[in-house]
Amino acid sequence: MRVLVLAVGRMKSAEGELAARYLKRAAQAGRNIGIRAIEIVEIKESRAKDAERRKLEESIALANVIPDGAALVILDERGEALGSGAFAERLAQWRDGGVSTLVFAIGGADGIAESLRSRTRTTLSFGNATWPHQLVRIMLLEQLYRAVTILSGHPYHRE
């Protein structure tokens, strides 16, 4: 299975280093459990003055890079909150269920348009708080790393 993280906006240096560290760890560990690649695609932030227009433009840009047949997961504060073990189980279900490409989409500051939301398989949350999209990317990469280590049989200290 291939995992794509589509994210609106560019990472700053300190956050980018942390994201790169988790991406590298997750990609290396993921190969052992059938995840052949974990990639990040950055989408340019819209410069539209109106928030709804920005959201629509960014969502169109996200939609344009989603491969045909991919399973889409949107990150949003109104989504389902999963613990790390449950996230690992869900990742295994997607992998074992024949999903060839799993896409996680992280919108910009204004969120994701309904036109893209309607295409999603799952909406996930990292809690009720609103997080900056750069931090959501880091948290997602960390959870992917944690999930692949759990699925690899490494003991999870919370169980």
Side-chain angles (χ1 to χ4, degrees), residues 42-71:
E42 291 183 330
I43 304 298
K44 191 174 184 175
E45 292 175 278
S46 169
R47 297 292 176 218
K49 303 254 187 248
D50 176 73
E52 283 302 311
R53 182 72 188 170
R54 280 191 305 271
K55 184 166 51 172
L56 180 61
E57 288 178 1
E58 291 168 352
S59 295
I60 290 169
L62 287 165
N64 285 337
V65 294
I66 297 172
D68 290 338

Side-chain angles (χ1 to χ4, degrees), residues 89-108:
E89 288 175 20
R90 187 78 56 94
L91 187 64
Q93 289 170 356
W94 285 315
R95 178 200 62 195
D96 299 342
V99 171
S100 62
T101 304
L102 178 61
V103 174
F104 290 94
I106 303 168

Side-chain angles (χ1 to χ4, degrees), residues 20-38 145 148-149 152:
R21 185 179 328 153
Y22 282 119
L23 175 63
K24 182 179 178 182
R25 288 179 179 176
Q28 287 173 338
R31 284 187 215 110
N32 297 329
I33 62 156
I35 296 175
R36 68 180 192 275
I38 301 175
Y145 169 65
V148 297
T149 59
S152 296

